[in-house]
């Protein structure tokens, strides 16, 4: 594994190769059924699970994609430890940790990435033979106008979340498309009532992607008289997970999971370079390690620790290419499942 002031996502939009969905303002389905632009083939194979694809046919193959969410890593930490047996290594323990932060992300840049991902998602579903309504098509409907938005904001002006020791910002194509989620309905909370969709002329589809850059992992090993632990940081990018859940008309059936498409693998390498990684501090407790070594001579276990801090300064073009590589590849699997759906 290896500031948005005058910036434009030229490379990202070229990768998307899609007609901008946000440029369509016609409120009727016929306008949204125009011939889709060609979508270039993805460069990555993503393994997915598909649940109830027949739901996409509920409303005469008409879909509504009100938004798309991107979760982007801003900081985190990894750690690992390895202990040897008393007879093989003197009951030695090795521990390693690394913390990391990301520089170069801001709200406008994250929203542009989300918009490029949204445009590609819509274009690929249209190429699969569906009529796709965008936010621009339906924003004046009462359901959309009355929907609550997520007003929480962290240091970058966007909602934040934590997962597996990492912190993320959450971006949508625009503030208006950052809808409030709930415990019962999740991302669909503002579009349902009593477990039923409030949109009756389309099946709602909401995609969500989570990307990690930098890449971080740990390695441990032990031998006859040795034990080691290492924390690694690389300048690449992983797609941690992606999902596109949908809500059609309710049915009585045995549950197979949440209807939609989701990645199977937790980590997919989408880019070898998203920026430049620098080691900003070595926080290894040298004194404690020295004392532990001395104490081990008297029979105490030897505990050796290492820790460092890192900073990823993103390269905006490279970062965008990584995001769109993962997005386009997953979107292609969603489009494939949609095209193959049968009643």
């Amino acid at each position: 594994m290896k500031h948005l002031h005058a910036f434009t996502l030229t490379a990202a939009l070229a990768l998307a190769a899609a007609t901008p969905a946000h440029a369509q303002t016609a409120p009727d389905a016929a306008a949204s059924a125009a011939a889709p632009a060609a979508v270039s083939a993805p460069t990555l194979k993503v393994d997915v699970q598909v649940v109830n694809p027949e739901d996409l046919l509920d409303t005469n193959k008409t879909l509504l994609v009100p938004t798309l969410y991107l979760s982007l890593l801003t900081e985190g930490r990894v750690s690992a430890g390895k202990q040897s047996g008393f007879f093989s290594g003197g009951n030695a323990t090795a521990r390693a940790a690394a913390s990391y932060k990301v520089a170069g992300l801001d709200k406008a840049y994250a929203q542009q990435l989300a918009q490029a991902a949204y445009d590609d998602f819509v274009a690929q579903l249209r190429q699969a033979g569906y009529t796709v309504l965008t936010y621009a098509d339906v924003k004046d409907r009462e359901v959309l106008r009355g929907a609550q938005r997520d007003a929480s904001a962290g240091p970058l002006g966007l909602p934040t979340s934590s997962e597996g020791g990492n912190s993320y910002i959450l971006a949508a194509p625009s503030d208006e498309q950052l809808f409030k989620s709930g415990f019962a309905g999740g991302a669909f909370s503002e579009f349902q009532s009593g477990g039923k969709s409030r949109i009756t002329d389309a099946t709602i589809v909401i995609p969500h992607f989570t990307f990690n850059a930098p890449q971080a992992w740990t390695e441990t090993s032990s031998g006859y008289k040795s034990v080691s632990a290492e924390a690694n940081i690389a300048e690449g990018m992983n797609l941690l997970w992606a999902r596109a859940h949908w809500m059609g008309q309710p049915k009585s059936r045995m549950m197979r999971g949440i209807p939609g498409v989701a990645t199977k693998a937790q980590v997919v390498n989408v880019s070898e370079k998203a920026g430049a990684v620098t080691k900003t501090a070595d926080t290894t407790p040298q004194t404690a390690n020295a004392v532990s070594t001395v104490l081990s001579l008297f029979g105490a276990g030897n505990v050796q620790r290492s820790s460092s801090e890192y900073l990823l300064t993103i390269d905006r073009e490279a970062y965008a290419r990584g995001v769109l590589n993962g997005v386009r590849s997953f979107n292609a699997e969603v489009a494939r499942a949609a095209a193959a759906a049968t009643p």
Side-chain angles (χ1 to χ4, degrees):
M1 285 187 295
K2 297 218 184 180
H3 291 302
L4 185 66
H5 303 295
F7 180 81
T8 59
L9 292 179
T10 304
L13 295 175
L15 277 172
T19 301
H22 62 284
Q24 299 187 14
T25 57
D28 55 83
S32 298
V39 178
S40 54
T43 61
L44 189 67
K45 173 61 179 174
V46 179
D47 291 328
V48 299
Q49 179 182 21
V50 182
V51 177
N52 297 125
E54 66 276 9
D55 290 359
L56 297 175
L57 308 176
D58 281 351
T59 49
N60 195 28
K61 298 184 73 173
T62 299
L63 311 178
L64 166 61
V65 184
T67 189
L68 176 146
Y69 296 122
L70 282 184
S71 292
L72 304 175
L73 177 69
T74 56
E75 61 181 315
R77 185 177 185 273
V78 290
S79 62
K82 185 72 172 181
Q83 185 172 26
S84 65
F86 179 81
F87 294 103
S88 60
N91 202 26
T93 301
R95 294 175 181 168
S99 60
Y100 38 88
K101 294 184 177 181
V102 180
L105 292 175
D106 61 41
K107 179 178 178 178
Y109 175 74
Q111 287 183 329
Q112 284 196 22
L113 287 175
Q115 183 67 68
Y118 181 84
D119 290 346
D120 182 82
F121 188 80
V122 170
Q124 294 217 40
L125 284 175
R126 286 177 176 161
Q127 186 164 295
Y130 284 76
T131 296
V132 183
L133 302 175
T134 67
Y135 176 73
D137 294 327
V138 300
K139 65 180 181 180
D140 292 328
R141 294 188 184 187
E142 178 57 34
V143 174
L144 277 295
R145 286 192 290 110
Q148 295 187 63
R149 270 63 175 183
D150 190 338
S152 63
L156 296 183
L158 291 168
T160 60
S161 64
S162 298
E163 181 178 345
N166 290 322
S167 296
Y168 298 88
I169 54 172
L170 178 67
S174 67
D175 289 345
E176 289 185 355
Q177 291 171 267
L178 197 58
F179 298 101
K180 188 174 182 179
S181 296
F183 291 108
F188 296 97
S189 291
E190 295 302 308
F191 309 108
Q192 69 169 3
S193 178
K196 297 181 180 181
S197 175
R198 297 173 64 192
I199 304 294
T200 58
D201 61 339
T203 297
I204 307 172
V205 187
I206 300 179
H208 192 164
F209 300 83
T210 296
F211 288 95
N212 281 7
Q215 296 165 323
W217 72 101
T218 58
E219 296 175 302
T220 61
S221 65
S222 61
Y224 175 59
K225 290 186 177 181
S226 66
V227 64
S228 67
E230 183 178 2
N232 304 279
I233 305 296
E235 58 190 13
M237 176 186 288
N238 290 334
L239 172 61
L240 185 63
W241 54 259
R243 62 189 182 217
H245 290 156
W246 47 69
M247 173 178 280
Q249 305 309 306
K251 298 178 176 64
S252 296
R253 60 192 174 199
M254 295 296 293
M255 292 301 295
R256 297 169 49 205
I258 301 175
V261 180
T263 51
K264 290 182 179 179
Q266 188 177 19
V267 174
V268 179
N269 183 15
V270 296
S271 175
E272 295 295 337
K273 183 176 179 62
V277 171
T278 55
K279 188 175 182 179
T280 58
D282 185 344
T283 53
T284 299
Q286 303 293 351
T287 300
N289 284 347
V291 171
S292 180
T293 299
V294 172
L295 292 177
S296 69
L297 300 176
F298 297 92
N302 185 7
V303 180
Q304 294 296 306
R305 298 177 175 87
S306 64
S307 60
S308 299
E309 297 176 354
Y310 296 86
L311 178 70
L312 171 71
T313 302
I314 69 169
D315 175 325
R316 295 203 165 200
E317 293 284 348
Y319 191 96
R321 284 194 295 270
V323 168
L324 266 295
N325 185 27
V327 162
R328 290 173 55 245
S329 300
F330 176 76
N331 290 351
E333 296 303 323
V334 178
R336 184 176 291 110
T342 56

